[in-house]
Amino acid sequence: MVEIDLDHIYKKYPNAEDAGYAVADFDLHIKDKEFIVFVGPSGCGKSTTLRMIAGLEDISQGDLKIDGKLMNDEAPKDRNIAMVFQNYALYPHMSVFDNMAFGLKLRKYDKSEITKRVDYAGEVLGLTDYLDRKPADLSGGQRQRVALGRAIVRDAPIFLMDEPLSNLDAKLRVSMRAEIAKLHQRLNTTTIYVTHDQTEAMTMADRIVVMSMGEVQQIGTPSEVYDTP
Ligand code: ADP
Ligand code: ADP
């Protein structure tokens, strides 16, 4: 059971030119296994909020709680979070297997556990027959799946995704959208997905958080947000 509380979160970058907040008064309770989408134009604070949850950016003000525990000062590795970035850099000289196994090797997981997890991710993502290939020999969609695989092998209850599909062409984006939705059903993670694409938000989210200029404009289900009478 994983719930995330964002309790009146603010972010001001120390080097910011203006005096404003990149994120102001972000307040949200995320339920166990929810699929939340942050949507809004470039620069509205989506990524900053996600990075604060991951611990990759300090919180200026407010509390972040995971299952009721204050996390503001916890190291990223102690947050039980897996993250997928927009610019997934795969290691070109490594096989698909090794790309997915890399983080686990760093963390000194034993070999059988690594193999078990990578095989599982490969199966979930339809990459079983590609584990020995190099990234250059894969399609764009398959490469994106390897990036997802790297997150899946962490076996974390929280998944954060920052515009994971924005570098893919339109057709691939649509099919990957459906795959990620299915993946969420299967892995049962509490997920936050960042996008500037309203269609993605509408088709994937349990609840959408609409952001603008660092502030939350609206929170609701897709029909509450987009079916304006
Ligand atoms: P989004 O993800 O919605 O595109 P960001 O969270 O990246 O928005 O950015 C929110 C605001 O914070 C923007 O005004 C951006 O310029 C600013 N910002 C983002 N990262 C930094 C940084 N490292 N230093 C200073 N300002 C930043
Ligand atoms: P990875 O092995 O997953 O690539 P690193 O060990 O290089 O990650 O990153 C150091 C810390 O940064 C990790 O302990 C983790 O908390 C955070 N981090 C980096 N990449 C990720 C990721 N894909 N998912 C979650 N956290 C990450």
Side-chain angles (χ1 to χ4, degrees):
M1 163 106 163
V2 180
E3 300 190 330
I4 307 171
D5 278 300
L6 296 149
D7 192 3
H8 301 283
I9 301 267
Y10 289 75
K11 175 67 182 184
K12 186 184 239 171
Y13 283 103
N15 58 340
E17 285 153 32
D18 53 28
Y21 287 96
V23 175
D25 203 22
F26 196 110
D27 202 52
L28 175 69
H29 174 78
I30 300 172
K31 289 173 245 172
D32 187 39
K33 302 185 181 24
E34 225 180 346
F35 197 116
I36 295 279
V37 176
F38 295 170
V39 71
S42 177
C44 72
K46 306 180 297 292
S47 234
T48 299
T49 306
L50 205 69
R51 292 169 60 80
M52 287 192 284
I53 296 168
L56 304 174
E57 206 63 72
D58 286 336
I59 294 170
S60 304
Q61 213 187 108
D63 288 341
L64 168 71
K65 292 182 192 141
I66 298 179
D67 287 338
K69 181 173 182 252
L70 188 64
M71 300 303 284
N72 291 39
D73 298 324
E74 294 291 325
K77 67 176 170 44
D78 297 324
R79 294 186 186 205
N80 241 333
I81 284 171
M83 190 154 171
V84 182
F85 299 94
Q86 172 179 357
N87 299 311
Y88 51 96
L90 303 181
Y91 301 107
H93 58 287
M94 285 186 200
S95 68
V96 167
F97 184 100
D98 287 336
N99 265 283
M100 294 201 277
F102 186 74
L104 300 179
K105 282 184 184 159
L106 276 185
R107 290 178 181 77
K108 310 259 191 286
Y109 281 77
D110 63 51
K111 223 171 157 183
S112 64
E113 181 65 21
I114 292 176
T115 304
K116 194 176 110 198
R117 290 189 183 198
V118 173
D119 284 348
Y120 176 71
E123 187 236 306
V124 168
L125 295 164
L127 288 172
T128 300
D129 294 338
Y130 299 87
L131 293 177
D132 293 333
R133 300 228 190 153
K134 299 279 168 64
D137 302 325
L138 302 177
S139 69
Q142 288 170 329
R143 272 182 231 146
Q144 181 59 53
R145 276 183 218 129
V146 179
L148 285 169
R150 278 178 167 177
I152 290 171
V153 297
R154 299 174 69 107
D155 198 21
I158 301 172
F159 243 66
L160 306 181
M161 299 196 238
D162 194 350
E163 307 242 8
L165 306 184
S166 61
N167 288 333
L168 303 179
D169 65 53
K171 198 170 152 217
L172 195 51
R173 220 157 44 221
V174 172
S175 63
M176 286 301 293
R177 216 192 269 157
E179 276 193 42
I180 288 176
K182 253 196 286 176
L183 196 62
H184 175 249
Q185 297 296 326
R186 174 137 183 209
L187 299 179
N188 260 316
T189 52
T190 301
T191 299
I192 308 174
Y193 185 101
V194 162
T195 182
H196 59 266
D197 183 335
Q198 290 194 357
T199 312
E200 274 181 22
M202 225 156 32
T203 52
M204 299 173 92
D206 291 321
R207 280 193 302 157
I208 296 171
V209 178
V210 182
M211 297 184 69
S212 169
M213 299 203 294
E215 294 184 5
V216 173
Q217 298 295 310
Q218 206 182 346
I219 300 175
T221 62
S223 58
E224 284 166 352
V225 170
Y226 291 117
D227 295 350
T228 39

Coordinates of all heavy atoms in Angstrom, one line a residue, residues 13 15-16 22-23 40-49 57 162 194, ligand 1:
Y13 N 13.9 27.9 -7.2 CA 15.3 27.6 -7.5 C 16.2 28.7 -7.0 O 16.0 29.9 -7.2 CB 15.5 27.4 -9.0 CG 14.9 26.1 -9.5 CD1 13.7 26.0 -10.2 CD2 15.6 24.9 -9.3 CE1 13.2 24.8 -10.6 CE2 15.1 23.7 -9.8 CZ 13.9 23.7 -10.4 OH 13.4 22.5 -10.9
N15 N 19.0 29.7 -8.1 CA 19.6 30.5 -9.1 C 18.5 31.2 -10.0 O 18.8 31.8 -11.0 CB 20.5 29.7 -10.0 CG 19.7 28.5 -10.6 OD1 18.7 28.1 -10.1 ND2 20.3 27.9 -11.6
A16 N 17.2 31.1 -9.6 CA 16.2 31.6 -10.5 C 16.3 33.1 -10.6 O 16.6 33.8 -9.7 CB 14.8 31.3 -9.9
A22 N 8.9 28.2 -8.8 CA 8.7 27.3 -10.0 C 7.5 26.4 -9.7 O 6.8 26.0 -10.6 CB 10.0 26.4 -10.1
V23 N 7.2 26.2 -8.4 CA 6.0 25.4 -8.0 C 5.5 26.1 -6.7 O 6.3 26.4 -5.8 CB 6.4 23.9 -7.7 CG1 5.1 23.2 -7.1 CG2 6.9 23.2 -9.0
G40 N 0.2 20.1 -18.5 CA 0.3 21.6 -18.6 C 1.4 22.0 -19.5 O 2.2 21.1 -19.9
P41 N 1.5 23.2 -19.9 CA 2.5 23.6 -20.9 C 3.9 23.6 -20.4 O 4.1 23.5 -19.2 CB 2.1 25.1 -21.2 CG 1.3 25.6 -20.0 CD 0.6 24.3 -19.5
S42 N 4.8 23.6 -21.3 CA 6.2 23.6 -20.9 C 6.5 24.7 -19.9 O 6.1 25.9 -20.0 CB 7.1 23.8 -22.2 OG 8.4 23.9 -21.8
G43 N 7.3 24.4 -18.8 CA 7.7 25.4 -17.9 C 6.7 25.6 -16.7 O 6.9 26.5 -15.9
C44 N 5.6 24.8 -16.7 CA 4.6 25.1 -15.6 C 5.0 24.4 -14.3 O 4.2 24.6 -13.3 CB 3.2 24.7 -16.1 SG 3.0 22.9 -16.2
G45 N 6.0 23.6 -14.3 CA 6.5 23.1 -13.0 C 6.2 21.6 -12.8 O 6.4 21.0 -11.7
K46 N 5.8 20.9 -13.9 CA 5.5 19.5 -13.8 C 6.8 18.7 -13.4 O 6.8 17.9 -12.4 CB 5.0 18.9 -15.1 CG 3.8 19.7 -15.7 CD 3.4 19.1 -17.0 CE 4.4 19.2 -18.2 NZ 4.7 20.5 -18.6
S47 N 7.8 18.9 -14.1 CA 9.1 18.2 -13.9 C 9.7 18.4 -12.5 O 10.1 17.5 -11.8 CB 10.1 18.6 -15.0 OG 10.6 17.5 -15.6
T48 N 9.6 19.7 -12.2 CA 10.2 20.1 -10.9 C 9.4 19.3 -9.8 O 10.1 18.8 -8.8 CB 10.0 21.6 -10.7 OG1 10.8 22.3 -11.7 CG2 10.5 22.1 -9.3
T49 N 8.1 19.3 -9.9 CA 7.3 18.6 -8.9 C 7.7 17.1 -8.8 O 7.9 16.5 -7.7 CB 5.8 18.7 -9.1 OG1 5.5 20.1 -9.3 CG2 5.0 18.1 -8.0
E57 N 15.5 16.9 -6.4 CA 15.4 18.3 -6.2 C 14.9 18.6 -4.8 O 14.0 17.9 -4.3 CB 14.4 18.9 -7.3 CG 14.6 20.3 -7.7 CD 16.0 20.5 -8.4 OE1 16.1 20.1 -9.6 OE2 16.8 21.2 -7.8
D162 N 8.6 10.9 -16.7 CA 8.6 12.3 -17.1 C 8.6 12.3 -18.7 O 9.7 12.1 -19.3 CB 9.9 13.0 -16.6 CG 9.8 14.5 -16.7 OD1 8.9 15.0 -17.4 OD2 10.7 15.2 -16.1
V194 N 4.1 12.5 -16.3 CA 4.1 13.9 -16.6 C 4.0 14.1 -18.2 O 4.8 13.4 -18.9 CB 5.4 14.6 -16.1 CG1 5.7 15.9 -16.9 CG2 5.4 14.8 -14.6
Ligands
ADP1 P1 7.8 21.6 -16.9 O1 8.2 20.3 -16.5 O2 6.3 21.8 -16.7 O3 8.2 21.9 -18.3 P2 9.8 22.7 -15.1 O4 9.4 22.1 -13.8 O5 10.9 22.1 -15.9 O6 8.5 22.7 -16.0 O7 10.1 24.2 -14.9 C1 9.3 25.0 -14.0 C2 10.0 26.4 -13.9 O8 11.2 26.2 -13.2 C3 10.4 27.0 -15.3 O9 10.2 28.4 -15.2 C4 11.8 26.6 -15.4 O10 12.5 27.6 -16.2 C5 12.3 26.7 -14.0 N1 13.4 25.7 -13.8 C6 13.5 24.4 -14.0 N2 14.6 23.9 -13.7 C7 15.4 24.9 -13.2 C8 16.7 24.9 -12.7 N3 17.5 23.9 -12.6 N4 17.2 26.1 -12.3 C9 16.4 27.2 -12.3 N5 15.1 27.2 -12.8 C10 14.6 26.1 -13.3

